[in-house]
Amino acid sequence: MADRCLDGTFTLRSLIRDGLVSRRVEPTVPPRVFYRLTGLGLSLEAALAGLRTWAEEHMAEIDRANEAADQGVNEG
């Protein structure tokens, strides 16, 4: 679990560094952190819509491939 959290933190930091996401910290106790897409991040909407459509159309196939990989089966 810790590795997954660290991977998520690394990815979020990368998105901030790339200018796709902005981060705002509210100085409360405990601190509140807010994230939002920047204009640059929002400009990806059309490109990601096509990827989302493809993923939705192929989700059953992707699920089968994941199940096969989890069982150690390589369908090539």
Side-chain angles (χ1 to χ4, degrees):
M1 179 70 176
D3 288 342
R4 293 185 74 155
C5 289
L6 292 174
D7 288 346
T9 300
F10 177 76
T11 301
L12 188 53
R13 286 185 182 155
S14 295
L15 293 172
I16 293 167
R17 184 172 187 263
D18 291 343
L20 301 173
V21 172
S22 67
R23 178 180 187 264
R24 178 176 61 90
V25 179
E26 196 172 276
T28 59
V29 178
R32 294 178 63 187
V33 181
F34 298 90
Y35 298 92
R36 70 174 180 84
L37 290 173
T38 64
L40 184 61
L42 289 169
S43 72
L44 289 168
E45 184 177 5
L48 293 176
L51 180 59
R52 181 183 57 239
T53 299
W54 178 90
E56 289 170 349
E57 291 171 357
H58 295 87
M59 189 54 61
E61 187 177 353
I62 293 167
D63 287 342
R64 285 191 300 272
N66 282 311
E67 288 171 11
D70 290 345
Q71 295 173 5
V73 177
N74 186 353
E75 295 182 16

